[in-house]
Amino acid sequence: MFNVGITTLLFVDNMYFMMAWCYGKLKEISSEIEAYLKSIDISPEAPYAMNNLGYAYYKTRQYSKALECFQKCLDNSWDLEVVVNNYVRTLLAMKRFKDAKAFVENPPHQIVKSLLEKVKNAPNTNQRISA
């Protein structure tokens, strides 16, 4: 039921963002990525959409695309409390341990303790992952 006394606007980019979030909950990741891309096409300065797009890429193991999204968020200081953790997770998944250790030394925001332990226990090298 609609409340007659409240007026709201639903912008198209927000509609695509909400659709993408719902697709993510339904585990329809390809539709989720497509909706986030549409949201970002309409509103390129959408920090939450960019972070969530990066995480959707992370879930599909498209780590280089995920890293690009997280890097854009870091460059623009968007949603830092979540992005720094996602950035470190992606570096670890790519086996870029040396880069992860360098990032953790001076992060723009606090990193979760469990990720810090994984970085600390990782070797001090960057490894190549197979294509």
Side-chain angles (χ1 to χ4, degrees), residues 117-131:
E117 289 178 17
K118 287 181 183 179
V119 170
K120 180 181 147 191
N121 295 332
N124 199 21
T125 60
N126 284 340
Q127 298 177 0
R128 289 187 169 264
I129 58 174
S130 60

Side-chain angles (χ1 to χ4, degrees), residues 67 87-97 99-100 103:
L67 209 59
Y87 188 78
V88 172
R89 267 188 204 96
T90 306
L91 288 174
L92 289 174
M94 294 176 79
K95 299 182 181 185
R96 291 177 51 185
F97 305 123
D99 296 339
F103 181 77

Side-chain angles (χ1 to χ4, degrees), residues 2-111:
F2 291 102
N3 189 345
V4 180
I6 298 175
T7 304
T8 60
L9 294 173
L10 182 62
F11 295 105
V12 178
D13 63 324
N14 288 337
M15 181 186 70
Y16 282 118
F17 178 85
M18 290 180 218
M19 285 173 51
W21 189 84
C22 291
Y23 283 132
K25 290 297 177 188
L26 295 172
K27 300 193 187 318
E28 296 180 20
I29 299 175
S30 61
S31 298
E32 177 186 11
I33 290 172
E34 183 180 324
Y36 280 130
L37 287 171
K38 287 180 182 179
S39 176
I40 291 169
D41 283 343
I42 295 168
S43 179
E45 301 297 315
Y48 298 110
M50 185 62 69
N51 174 49
N52 291 4
L53 174 64
Y55 193 71
Y57 282 136
Y58 173 82
K59 290 189 293 189
T60 59
R61 294 188 169 107
Q62 298 179 45
Y63 300 130
S64 58
K65 289 182 180 180
L67 209 59
E68 288 176 23
C69 293
F70 298 140
Q71 188 62 53
K72 184 172 183 178
C73 290
L74 288 171
D75 292 343
N76 293 311
S77 298
W78 291 339
D79 197 21
L80 288 177
E81 50 200 45
V82 178
V83 171
V84 293
N85 294 308
N86 289 338
Y87 188 78
V88 172
R89 267 188 204 96
T90 306
L91 288 174
L92 289 174
M94 294 176 79
K95 299 182 181 185
R96 291 177 51 185
F97 305 123
K98 188 175 182 180
D99 296 339
K101 287 182 184 229
F103 181 77
V104 165
E105 287 178 10
N106 192 14
H109 202 276
Q110 187 175 355
I111 298 173

